[in-house]
Amino acid sequence: MTLFGKTLVEPAKAVASLVGAFVISWQMTLIALVAGPFAAVLIRTFGKIIRRSTKRALENWADMLAVLEETLTGIRIVKAYTMEAAERKRFHRVNRQLYKQQRRMARTDAATSPSIEALGLTVGLLAAGGAGYLVLNHKIDMDIEDLITWMVMLAAIFDPVRKLSKVATRFQRGDAAAERIFEIRDRQKEKRTPGAPMLPRLSGSIELAGVEYTYPNANSPALCGIDLTIQAGQTVAIVGPNGCGKTTLVSLLPRLLEPSGGKILFDGRDVATHSLRSLRRQIALVSQDTVIFNATIGENISYGLRRPKPQQILDAAKKAYVDEFVRELPDGYDTMVGQRGATLSGGQRQRIAIARAILRDPAVLIFDEALSQIDPDSEQRISQAMGEFITGRTAVMIAHRFQTILAADAIVVMNEGQIVALGPHKQLLETCELYTQLYNTQFGNAK
Ligand SMILES: Nc1ncnc2c1ncn2[C@@H]1O[C@H](COP(=O)(O)OP(=O)(O)OP(=O)(O)O)[C@@H](O)[C@H]1O
Ligand SMILES: [Mg+2]
């Protein structure tokens, strides 16, 4: 019978037997029912233990998988730092924890029904003995047949309770699992606003007004009091020391993060109240850590497009200087990129990401320049590709290289979550101390 069936049929059986037992002798039945609360407490306690250990076991599973993924994706670092033994130990530890938790759960599960059974047997024996004594000594007026029927009914009450206790533990397990699912579901809510008006392609300006952002669980805001206007078609470079909030700021534009305060306007329209798709479709993001999927190079370039034309892919690839190295590969654009782009150099990966952005023909381009060293040849190609690509588009470039800054119409200097200066290169050199400092340390050597 199904679990659900059991939960319906078994109580009905118990109630019918209970009524029968009451009809025969209500006094004796009442006495026998003293066992009821004990059974209830027992079932509840076991249920709670099962629920807790199920939840912990699921968490241990997640830990184990996380360690596994981390180690495998970072295998080159693990090897380079000869950390194989330490990683093995770490994995062993989480694995052992999982094993212990699973064993604990199985033990509680196995203990539930014998305990209920033992309780039932004890109560049954006591009830039978007591009732037998009362009837045989004529303390209660009842014949032997009735006594036996009564005892059978008492047993019949107990059987469903035993079965239901199993159901209860199963429910507790399911509940613990559901709780974890809902925890995750609730966490990653991205506000969908069906019927929200479409955002037309940017033509005027992007305006950030009093924008603030605080990461969940962070004590202090990562961004505060950001006021910035970016004219359509202009290129704005953002510079600032590590951790000053540059990546956070550009993540707000495609609403990968929602501002905790203030507004972002596209041509005077609040992006928060417009369709998310229509916003994201006009923004291309080339991120700091280039994401390459385990697919062919062609598929990586056309990612996000439904029906890309091969000619378009080729054009984009040429503009991003991808074509020159893909042509040398035996399978060309059908070459599978290894897991996490392992078979491509950092510069090549970034060029693929740029080709991906070019193919989308975005109104707004966000380029979070990589911090990692890229070979000078690749770097030259990347700035050439970007230079051609951004003409006529709105571009927000987080700059770590001097060439990128030179291409900008305005430079935004950030520090500790705030904009501290804004202007062209020459003016900033004269007026902004932090900019001069950055220029000397970060950009100076790239001249
Ligand atoms: N997911 C996160 N949760 C909590 N704090 C974060 C998170 N991401 C970033 N931060 C914090 O927010 C601040 C700004 O980070 P952000 O990544 O925007 O810096 P950045 O200017 O891009 O630095 P970099 O030049 O190193 O790329 C930092 O103090 C950082 O520690
Ligand atoms: Mg960053």
Side-chain angles (χ1 to χ4, degrees):
M1 198 182 288
T2 61
L3 204 61
F4 188 57
K6 263 193 207 170
T7 60
L8 288 180
V9 174
E10 297 301 331
K13 272 197 214 163
V15 169
S17 311
L18 189 63
V19 171
F22 260 108
V23 169
I24 293 169
S25 167
W26 63 269
Q27 303 100 318
M28 286 192 338
T29 308
L30 269 188
I31 296 171
L33 281 186
V34 171
F38 284 109
V41 168
L42 212 59
I43 292 174
R44 253 179 76 98
T45 313
F46 278 120
K48 262 193 205 154
I49 297 176
I50 294 252
R51 180 200 180 89
R52 215 177 309 135
S53 54
T54 303
K55 200 164 170 212
R56 214 162 292 153
L58 288 171
E59 279 162 7
N60 287 340
W61 257 109
D63 286 347
M64 198 266 275
L65 292 175
V67 169
L68 202 59
E69 198 210 306
E70 223 171 78
T71 318
L72 291 181
T73 53
I75 192 77
R76 288 152 61 112
I77 303 292
V78 172
K79 282 186 180 172
Y81 286 81
T82 57
M83 286 293 280
E84 291 98 328
E87 288 298 335
R88 209 162 24 235
K89 225 187 256 167
R90 192 158 76 111
F91 180 70
H92 188 68
R93 203 167 50 226
V94 288
N95 218 0
R96 204 166 159 73
Q97 191 117 30
L98 178 63
Y99 165 71
K100 271 198 208 150
Q101 198 58 46
Q102 297 275 17
R103 212 174 48 177
R104 199 172 306 153
M105 202 164 73
R107 222 185 283 140
T108 321
D109 214 12
T112 314
S113 52
S115 310
I116 302 275
E117 210 104 10
L119 177 74
L121 216 59
T122 315
V123 171
L125 278 176
L126 286 177
Y133 173 82
L134 292 175
V135 171
L136 291 177
N137 290 305
H138 303 288
K139 295 270 175 17
I140 284 181
D141 191 22
M142 194 196 267
D143 54 31
I144 296 292
E145 280 151 42
D146 275 352
L147 175 66
I148 290 174
T149 317
W150 180 78
M151 284 205 275
V152 168
M153 290 206 159
L154 209 61
I157 298 174
F158 181 70
D159 189 51
V161 172
R162 188 176 57 94
K163 284 187 186 152
L164 280 178
S165 74
K166 270 190 204 154
V167 174
T169 59
R170 269 246 229 128
F171 267 127
Q172 293 292 2
R173 260 199 216 189
D175 204 30
E179 208 173 279
R180 268 189 63 79
I181 291 172
F182 283 116
E183 264 173 28
I184 289 165
R185 246 187 65 123
D186 289 348
R187 203 183 315 157
Q188 301 183 330
K189 220 179 276 167
E190 192 165 67
K191 264 186 240 138
R192 298 256 165 230
T193 37
M198 300 284 277
L199 208 57
R201 202 174 160 94
L202 184 78
S203 59
S205 67
I206 301 173
E207 201 180 322
L208 290 87
V211 168
E212 273 171 42
Y213 186 79
T214 308
Y215 280 102
N217 311 325
N219 306 327
S220 54
L223 292 175
C224 59
I226 299 288
D227 291 306
L228 177 65
T229 304
I230 302 166
Q231 296 301 334
Q234 280 206 330
T235 299
V236 170
I238 302 178
V239 300
N242 290 137
C244 71
K246 303 182 294 290
T247 302
T248 311
L249 179 65
V250 298
S251 305
L252 293 172
L253 297 179
R255 286 172 66 192
L256 297 176
L257 303 173
E258 300 280 354
S260 335
K263 274 196 175 132
I264 298 174
L265 308 170
F266 266 53
D267 294 337
R269 297 181 180 87
D270 189 347
V271 293
T273 58
H274 285 73
S275 134
L276 191 61
R277 262 183 78 82
S278 69
L279 171 71
R280 288 193 182 155
R281 250 197 318 232
Q282 49 178 307
I283 300 178
L285 175 72
V286 179
S287 63
Q288 215 161 5
D289 42 351
T290 319
V291 180
I292 300 287
F293 297 98
N294 190 21
T296 68
I297 291 181
E299 284 164 344
N300 263 294
I301 294 175
S302 63
Y303 185 76
L305 289 190
R306 234 180 264 156
R307 265 185 292 274
K309 298 199 182 73
Q311 188 56 46
Q312 286 178 318
I313 297 180
L314 193 63
D315 283 347
K318 278 190 177 143
K319 283 184 195 154
Y321 297 93
V322 168
D323 193 54
E324 57 181 52
F325 69 83
V326 170
R327 231 182 306 147
E328 318 240 300
L329 301 171
D331 291 330
Y333 289 90
D334 294 328
T335 308
M336 280 296 287
V337 183
Q339 197 95 51
R340 300 245 162 170
T343 56
L344 296 170
S345 79
Q348 290 170 335
R349 287 165 52 176
Q350 192 145 36
R351 281 189 264 171
I352 288 180
I354 293 170
R356 186 188 289 159
I358 290 176
L359 191 56
R360 288 174 61 117
D361 185 27
V364 182
L365 172 75
I366 297 168
F367 186 48
D368 199 343
E369 208 163 55
L371 291 159
S372 55
Q373 280 299 322
I374 287 175
D375 58 287
D377 188 47
S378 231
E379 191 174 317
Q380 187 59 36
R381 291 270 188 273
I382 288 169
S383 26
Q384 251 172 294
M386 288 310 291
E388 289 160 28
F389 182 31
I390 62 178
T391 38
R393 274 175 229 277
T394 316
V396 181
M397 322 270 282
I398 296 180
H400 291 291
R401 282 183 257 282
F402 188 59
Q403 281 159 317
T404 316
I405 291 176
L406 276 188
D409 298 300
I411 301 164
V412 173
V413 187
M414 287 186 69
N415 195 21
E416 294 177 358
Q418 284 176 313
I419 294 177
V420 292
L422 174 79
H425 173 64
K426 280 227 172 65
Q427 183 192 327
L428 288 175
L429 268 189
E430 285 161 14
T431 56
C432 181
E433 203 174 310
L434 177 63
Y435 184 77
T436 315
Q437 213 178 330
L438 286 169
Y439 174 71
N440 288 333
T441 54
Q442 272 195 36
F443 314 120
N445 47 12
K447 264 181 286 188

